[in-house]
Amino acid sequence: MSLKAIELQLALPKTQDIGQIQKQLHQKDLIHQSHLITQAKKLEAKRKRKTEELKKSLLQEQNTLRSPKNHEQTKGRFIDLEL
């Protein structure tokens, strides 16, 4: 089965078109994957920021709760005396 000259005239441009379409599809997949990666990184950074803020707020809350306890624990044990 051999190709005639007319068939080759039709076949070659179509193979070039198919090659371009395949290249575009491949690039589209890479762009989509890249976009997903950047979204995942942004989401991870946002979660990390929220976690840090939560830790800071919990530490501040613990510090405010500890302050009166420390004062109550030392109450009556020390005498401030000025002469």
Side-chain angles (χ1 to χ4, degrees):
M1 184 193 297
S2 64
L3 293 175
K4 296 182 182 177
I6 295 174
E7 291 174 346
L8 283 175
Q9 288 176 357
L10 295 174
L12 289 177
K14 289 189 179 192
T15 56
Q16 290 175 354
D17 292 340
I18 291 171
Q20 288 175 353
I21 292 170
Q22 285 178 338
K23 184 178 176 183
Q24 289 173 354
L25 289 174
H26 182 67
Q27 286 177 351
K28 183 179 176 182
D29 290 339
L30 291 175
I31 291 170
H32 184 64
Q33 185 178 11
S34 172
H35 183 66
L36 289 175
I37 289 171
T38 55
Q39 282 183 336
K41 285 181 181 179
K42 286 179 183 179
L43 185 61
E44 183 66 28
K46 187 177 180 180
R47 286 182 185 162
K48 192 173 186 179
R49 203 174 333 118
K50 282 187 178 183
T51 304
E52 291 297 323
E53 290 173 2
L54 182 62
K55 284 181 183 178
K56 285 180 183 179
S57 67
L58 288 174
L59 285 174
Q60 288 176 352
E61 192 175 309
Q62 287 176 353
N63 287 338
T64 57
L65 292 175
R66 287 182 184 174
S67 296
K69 287 182 181 178
N70 287 339
H71 179 66
E72 291 174 5
Q73 289 174 354
T74 58
K75 190 175 182 181
R77 292 187 182 179
F78 299 102
I79 299 174
D80 289 336
L81 183 65
E82 290 182 23
L83 296 175

